[in-house]
Amino acid sequence: MSSLEERDVGVAAAPGSSSAGLGVGAVGAAAEAVAGVAAMQDEVGIRREGPESDTDEPPKKRLKIPEGESGKLEERLYSVLCCTVCLDLPKASVYQCTNGHLMCAGCFIHLLADSRLKEEQATCPTCRCEISKNLCCRNLAVEKAVSELPTECTFCLKQFPRSSLERHQTEECQDRVTQCKYKRIGCPWQGPFHELPAHELECCHPTKTGTELMGMLGEMDQDHRRDMQLYNSIFSLLCYEKIGFTEVQFRPYRTDDFITRLYYETPRFTVLNQTWVLKARVNDSERNPNLSCKRTLSFQLILKSKVNSTLECSFLLLKGPYEDVRITPVIYHHFFSNDTNETDYVPLPISDSVECNKLLAAKNINLRLFIFQVQK
């Protein structure tokens, strides 16, 4: 037994007295380190599990993050969740490429439209992988995270989550810009919402004479008549004996010129016992429409059948059943004959370039054509 103890002592002290002293110091340092780690864990609020831990003890509270640190976190989130194209936080849908890079809906549609105009495959601006409506998907987690980030109200300069900002600015904000309720009879006042009651008490327009009010009502009637003229024309066209409509699909093609240009054309279709074709072009065949921020579409209707007499027709294009583009109906009129079987290119009445990009980004453009034959 004594020899065994001597062997243990000999092993511990074999390197010499200085090494033995170093070993004792290392043990002390290790003990201090363990104690320090335990103190840090207690401070942060991490519970150590073990046979001696008390299961009834409530969990430690987490340390409160200073305001400066939370501000830095928001800034980091802004840089992580922003669109890789416009470098701004998305306001609506968020799309991602196959490698996870984010694009807001507007930039995603714009990239697809540019690739259509340049006859190239659309690619992610970060990793250059191919993107399309089939390859990319929405990132709902990022959309939810962005909606919870704080943003500033443009009127009162207070911060609100992005998901509730629109409701605040349109319904709740006391500094939002509003107009007098007597605007319809000529009051030009507009100002903060909290000043509206005081203005309405002092507004002089409710005390105007009947003669003054009749002049304003006459101007309002003229605007109303212009708005109703289109609908009255459509209702009168619906009374025609010969009415035809069909779904048309514009497919993209390229011209045979040295610098090819994009144009669209539909397959031949039959309406009112006649064969027709529709053609469309971008920015009236501008040389480089991809370099222009403003984009428009124009179309023409072509009669392919031979006719014995002049065919007088009215026609209009509306959005198809599955399209989300906004088109304002406009009625066009033309006399078709064997010599004048093509109409001039007329504007497709879409509201702005954003709607045009939606159509260009699609594989095909699906619309609905109405033709009304005027009876002699």
Side-chain angles (χ1 to χ4, degrees):
M1 189 70 180
S2 60
S3 61
L4 181 60
E5 290 176 357
E6 289 175 358
R7 199 180 315 128
D8 293 340
V9 172
V11 170
S17 60
S18 61
S19 299
L22 180 63
V24 173
V27 171
E32 292 178 0
V34 171
V37 170
M40 290 173 61
Q41 289 178 344
D42 291 339
E43 182 180 0
V44 175
I46 300 176
R47 294 185 60 188
R48 291 183 303 233
E49 295 183 0
E52 298 179 0
S53 61
D54 189 2
T55 56
D56 296 333
E57 183 180 354
K60 302 277 186 178
K61 291 184 178 180
R62 294 183 178 179
L63 289 178
K64 185 177 180 181
I65 301 177
E67 293 183 1
E69 295 295 329
S70 63
K72 293 179 182 177
L73 175 61
E74 291 174 6
E75 292 177 3
R76 293 199 299 270
L77 286 176
Y78 273 90
S79 62
V80 170
L81 302 179
C82 70
C83 170
T84 57
V85 182
C86 64
L87 303 180
D88 195 5
L89 283 178
K91 296 180 176 61
S93 303
V94 180
Y95 291 87
Q96 67 175 23
C97 71
T98 52
N99 292 326
H101 299 119
L102 305 176
M103 294 164 282
C104 64
C107 292
F108 177 64
I109 294 298
H110 195 88
L111 288 174
L112 297 182
D114 279 354
S115 66
R116 174 75 71 189
L117 293 173
K118 294 186 289 187
E119 200 179 8
E120 297 176 355
Q121 173 61 48
T123 57
C124 171
T126 303
C127 64
R128 297 302 175 188
C129 70
E130 295 185 359
I131 59 174
S132 67
K133 287 189 174 181
N134 294 329
L135 294 175
C136 297
C137 62
R138 287 178 60 183
N139 192 320
L140 301 180
V142 171
E143 292 178 14
K144 182 65 176 176
V146 170
S147 69
E148 296 301 324
L149 286 176
T151 187
E152 195 174 74
C153 173
T154 56
F155 304 117
C156 64
L157 304 181
K158 296 179 181 178
Q159 290 202 343
F160 297 89
R162 288 175 171 262
S163 57
S164 61
L165 179 66
E166 183 178 358
R167 180 170 57 86
H168 167 77
Q169 291 187 150
T170 56
E171 301 177 8
E172 300 173 353
C173 183
Q174 295 297 310
D175 293 329
R176 67 183 187 272
V177 177
T178 187
Q179 295 177 326
C180 178
K181 67 179 180 181
Y182 301 113
K183 176 192 172 184
R184 291 175 58 86
I185 56 175
C187 181
W189 183 90
Q190 62 178 9
F193 179 78
H194 62 81
E195 297 180 4
L196 180 62
H199 163 76
E200 290 180 348
L201 291 175
E202 301 173 355
C203 185
C204 61
H205 285 76
T207 60
K208 283 192 173 183
T209 63
T211 305
E212 294 173 327
L213 293 177
M214 288 302 295
M216 297 175 187
L217 292 175
E219 295 177 0
M220 294 170 57
D221 289 341
Q222 290 181 3
D223 296 337
H224 180 68
R225 279 194 292 269
R226 281 195 296 268
D227 294 338
M228 291 300 298
Q229 184 177 1
L230 171 65
Y231 298 101
N232 292 333
S233 301
I234 294 177
F235 292 147
S236 59
L237 289 175
L238 292 175
C239 299
Y240 284 11
E241 180 182 355
K242 293 186 177 181
I243 302 174
F245 73 94
T246 185
E247 314 298 331
V248 292
Q249 185 179 80
F250 289 88
R251 299 174 182 175
Y253 296 95
R254 288 278 166 178
T255 61
D256 296 331
D257 303 334
F258 177 73
I259 300 177
T260 62
R261 290 182 173 86
L262 173 69
Y263 74 96
Y264 287 85
E265 186 173 334
T266 66
R268 295 192 177 195
F269 56 90
T270 302
V271 176
L272 299 178
N273 298 323
Q274 306 293 339
T275 304
W276 310 82
V277 166
L278 279 167
K279 288 185 178 181
R281 62 189 184 185
V282 184
N283 286 13
D284 290 328
S285 294
E286 184 182 8
R287 183 172 182 177
N288 292 313
N290 57 295
L291 301 179
S292 174
C293 294
K294 185 178 181 181
R295 292 173 182 172
T296 59
L297 279 170
S298 54
F299 72 97
Q300 69 171 170
L301 180 62
I302 304 172
L303 175 63
K304 290 295 185 179
S305 302
K306 297 295 182 180
V307 291
N308 298 325
S309 59
T310 302
L311 194 64
E312 184 181 357
C313 293
S314 298
F315 61 94
L316 74 156
L317 274 177
L318 299 176
K319 75 180 188 70
Y322 306 107
E323 292 285 345
D324 61 348
V325 66
R326 294 192 296 270
I327 297 180
T328 304
V330 175
I331 302 171
Y332 299 102
H333 198 77
H334 189 73
F335 292 88
F336 292 94
S337 65
N338 294 330
D339 297 329
T340 58
N341 63 332
E342 297 182 358
T343 68
D344 295 330
Y345 273 92
V346 294
L348 182 66
I350 49 182
S351 58
D352 51 27
S353 298
V354 175
E355 299 299 320
C356 185
N357 282 334
K358 287 182 182 179
L359 295 176
L360 294 176
K363 186 177 181 181
N364 299 303
I365 300 176
N366 299 297
L367 301 176
R368 176 172 287 177
L369 172 70
F370 286 84
I371 300 179
F372 308 89
Q373 184 176 346
V374 180
Q375 297 296 317
K376 296 182 181 179

